[in-house]
Amino acid sequence: MTKGIDRRGVLLAGTGGAFGLYSFAAGAAPATKQLKLRRKPGVKPKNILVILTDDHRYDAMGFMKAQDFGETPTLDRLARGGVHFRNAFVTTALCSPSRASIFTGLYAHQHRVVDNNHPIPPGLTYYPEYLQAAGYETAFIGKWHMGIETDSPQPGFDHWVSFKGQGNYLPHPDGLNVNGRHVPQKGYITDELTDYALDWIGQRDAKKPWMMHLAHKAVHSEFIPAERHKGRYDKETFRYPANMKPGVPGRPMWVENQRNSWHGVDYPYHGTLDIADYYKRYMETLLAVDEGIARIMDLLDQRGELDDTLILYMGDNGFMFGEHGLIDKRAAYEESMRVPILMRCPSLFGAGTVEHVVANIDVAPTMLAAAGLEAPDGLAGSNMLPLVTVSPASGGAAEVPWRKELMYEYYWERNFPQTPTVHALREDRYKYIHFHGIWDLDELYDLAADPHENDNLLARPGHEDLAERMSAKLFRLLEETNGMQIPLSADAGERNKLRDPNGPAMAPFPPSFFRPPHK
């Protein structure tokens, strides 16, 4: 995957433990893509609908009851009639890297889309390209957000509707790119994208399989609900997270210091906001998404395709609303990296719940399997269908061989300097979080006893062996997946580096960093 990539990097570690520089071959032409995949015998290709929302955290759905308000009747319906993956994650909690992992089945250090501000490395292959080669009609509608501000049609899609960068909830002069032609945005973006999706699905030939990737702008900040939903939750009561308070023992310095930053509760986005109101607008903005999915499901039902269409709903990353004193994402905490994944296709599998840890890297091989195709070699993700086709309601999925840990990565961004480079290893019980480039504590949590990650076991003696075991496994996975380099890109984007002079002062070093004085 490294051919044609024009990036520089710093070696994170090597066989000799030394640091050094490396570079990818600059200007090399990408190899010719091999898009013909082996077909699985006896598998009828399914229609595929992937619905992606932005910044939708795992518990922000009505049936999860994270708060006493927030209705999502269509998502609840998907969960009841399909499969809810209770432990679903992204491998990088940032828009572009996560989206690239969804389309490629690769970790960010493999596909090299590691931030939101630089071009896509040439030669990447997206799974819809394989579907096209297998006879699918394909469509992309919505937020692309890879490759700086481009809205140009991308490989793998016969039909294209997108917008530049983050797009806009309300009509904007930039408008939309529809198959290479720029057209005005007529109304509220969620409703408009749903209309485009309905138009395309409604024109499909029932004899030919199709795939659509519908990527909503919602629920990215600033949260702007549709006019019909504004104020729906004004009178509701929001429960603030208990660990929003400062000074939690064992919290790394960088996390405490981030409180007074762009991504902190004490200086959010270099201003002020009330977390409760912010969350209410978030849930109001999600309402139009939920309504739009209902409209699409109704059309599929009218066409007689609903039960034979694989629908996968997910978020591209989570979002923190005050947890650990933070807002937004990037960190390896559960609220940042954990997302909803719901999947429905009654002709393939029944309803139930899956406890296995799944991730964005699993989407590409799963969609290829639904199309009756064998995934290409070298993907980091795995096909999720065996987890649901052995009747998760009966617990049969427990017998399916599956990963025992998931790796997480985030690479420091100069334009958001508050968060360091993060690598993490999440097992079913323990999570180890490793930081690069800072003088601070790492983190280790017992998720069974401490699901909200408040008790950093590395803040006191007694857990060094466990941390060493998990660190060794983390670096072994990085070595096995060619991930021992930290990508280094030229500066791009604004620097959100300010602190409030009247806000909290810098946090002190952890007590464990001080040697007792000699007597």
Side-chain angles (χ1 to χ4, degrees):
M1 296 300 298
T2 59
K3 289 186 178 180
I5 297 173
D6 184 17
R7 285 181 182 267
R8 296 295 187 266
V10 177
L11 206 63
L12 175 61
T15 55
F19 284 73
L21 294 177
Y22 81 96
S23 66
F24 292 108
T32 302
K33 293 182 179 182
Q34 302 297 326
L35 299 177
K36 290 290 186 180
L37 297 178
R38 296 188 304 275
R39 290 190 177 273
K40 293 176 177 285
V43 176
K44 177 189 174 185
K46 300 294 181 184
N47 293 332
I48 295 170
L49 172 62
V50 175
I51 303 171
L52 182 71
T53 41
D54 198 307
D55 291 350
H56 191 185
R57 56 186 271 161
Y58 78 101
D59 60 357
M61 295 181 287
F63 71 92
M64 292 292 287
K65 302 188 183 303
Q67 298 284 338
D68 294 329
F69 64 93
E71 298 86 12
T72 57
T74 310
L75 296 182
D76 296 0
R77 174 188 170 193
L78 274 176
R80 284 193 310 271
V83 172
H84 175 213
F85 292 87
R86 285 175 46 83
N87 291 294
F89 295 85
V90 295
T91 50
T92 308
L94 186 62
C95 284
S96 295
S98 179
R99 289 160 191 265
S101 290
I102 289 168
F103 279 124
T104 64
L106 300 171
Y107 282 109
H109 66 260
Q110 295 174 307
H111 59 60
R112 313 305 290 184
V113 180
V114 295
D115 61 26
N116 294 340
N117 293 305
H118 291 86
I120 301 168
L124 279 185
T125 301
Y126 310 128
Y127 81 83
E129 295 181 74
Y130 295 116
L131 298 185
Q132 268 187 327
Y136 270 71
E137 293 183 323
T138 60
F140 181 91
I141 295 176
K143 178 180 176 180
W144 178 249
H145 202 245
M146 284 192 286
I148 318 180
E149 291 294 298
T150 185
D151 60 5
S152 300
Q154 297 294 314
F157 300 102
D158 301 308
H159 183 69
W160 179 266
V161 179
S162 191
F163 43 75
K164 292 181 178 180
Q166 298 288 358
N168 299 275
Y169 283 106
L170 303 176
H172 187 273
D174 282 346
L176 303 173
N177 183 323
V178 179
N179 295 320
R181 182 173 60 91
H182 285 87
V183 302
Q185 178 183 333
K186 299 175 183 177
Y188 186 66
I189 190 62
T190 304
D191 297 339
E192 191 152 349
L193 295 178
T194 299
D195 289 342
Y196 275 107
L198 292 168
D199 288 346
W200 188 80
I201 293 172
Q203 297 172 19
R204 303 282 47 79
D205 181 349
K207 296 180 180 179
K208 192 171 185 179
W210 56 265
M211 174 270 175
M212 173 185 286
H213 186 99
L214 173 58
H216 282 293
K217 171 180 171 57
V219 280
H220 193 278
S221 63
E222 295 293 321
F223 313 127
I224 300 178
E227 192 66 35
R228 62 189 180 276
H229 299 139
K230 285 183 179 178
R232 170 79 64 89
Y233 301 128
D234 277 351
K235 297 181 180 179
E236 301 292 345
T237 300
F238 174 81
R239 292 191 299 273
Y240 291 87
N243 60 6
M244 183 172 162
K245 62 186 179 183
V248 173
R251 180 178 284 168
M253 283 188 298
W254 78 264
V255 178
E256 194 72 10
N257 288 331
Q258 194 174 106
R259 297 179 64 89
N260 183 359
S261 80
W262 180 268
H263 287 145
V265 295
D266 294 325
Y267 199 26
Y269 306 129
H270 294 163
T272 60
L273 61 83
D274 182 271
I275 296 294
D277 288 340
Y278 203 46
Y279 184 85
K280 291 173 184 179
R281 301 296 86 77
Y282 176 82
M283 294 306 293
E284 289 171 358
T285 303
L286 186 60
L287 287 168
V289 173
D290 197 84
E291 291 176 353
I293 298 171
R295 293 174 62 200
I296 293 172
M297 292 179 70
D298 286 345
L299 175 61
L300 292 174
D301 196 20
Q302 294 166 16
R303 288 173 55 89
E305 298 177 356
L306 179 60
D307 289 350
D308 207 33
T309 297
L310 178 62
I311 300 175
L312 184 144
Y313 175 91
M314 69 179 297
D316 69 342
N317 46 249
F319 202 90
M320 294 177 287
F321 284 93
E323 288 84 5
H324 309 279
L326 307 180
I327 59 171
D328 220 277
K329 57 256 186 186
R330 291 174 171 80
Y333 296 126
E334 295 286 281
E335 296 83 6
S336 171
M337 63 183 285
R338 196 169 172 183
V339 296
I341 290 188
L342 308 172
M343 200 157 68
R344 182 188 188 276
C345 187
S347 66
L348 267 183
F349 51 83
T353 301
V354 169
E355 300 291 342
H356 293 67
V357 170
V358 300
N360 53 351
I361 54 175
D362 299 323
V363 173
T366 302
M367 298 303 105
L368 292 174
L373 301 173
E374 298 281 357
D377 293 336
L379 298 192
S382 300
N383 172 21
M384 296 183 286
L385 290 181
L387 298 177
V388 299
T389 53
V390 293
S391 182
S394 67
E399 302 171 4
V400 176
W402 197 250
R403 66 171 60 91
K404 299 187 184 303
E405 65 281 314
L406 182 71
M407 186 164 57
Y408 176 86
E409 60 188 332
Y410 165 78
Y411 297 98
W412 178 80
E413 300 167 273
R414 186 172 172 83
N415 51 328
F416 292 102
Q418 309 89 281
T419 306
T421 291
V422 180
H423 288 88
L425 188 78
R426 191 195 190 279
E427 299 178 337
D428 287 341
R429 178 172 179 181
Y430 293 105
K431 181 193 287 184
Y432 170 68
I433 309 176
H434 175 282
F435 305 114
H436 181 81
I438 56 172
W439 188 11
D440 210 337
L441 279 176
D442 287 334
E443 294 177 273
L444 178 66
Y445 296 105
D446 181 344
L447 297 172
D450 179 28
H452 298 294
E453 300 167 301
N454 295 323
D455 181 16
N456 182 7
L457 300 178
L458 294 182
R460 58 183 186 276
H463 301 89
E464 293 83 3
D465 289 347
L466 175 58
E468 289 215 6
R469 174 185 71 77
M470 296 189 72
S471 177
K473 186 187 290 187
L474 170 63
F475 278 89
R476 186 166 64 250
L477 286 171
L478 284 167
E479 287 177 340
E480 291 171 353
T481 57
N482 198 25
M484 297 295 281
Q485 300 86 27
I486 292 179
L488 181 63
S489 298
D491 292 353
E494 298 179 358
R495 294 198 69 199
N496 298 286
K497 62 182 181 179
L498 302 181
R499 289 178 65 83
D500 182 354
N502 299 315
M506 298 291 285
F509 274 91
S512 62
F513 279 39
F514 293 92
R515 176 181 293 176
H518 293 291
K519 294 183 179 179

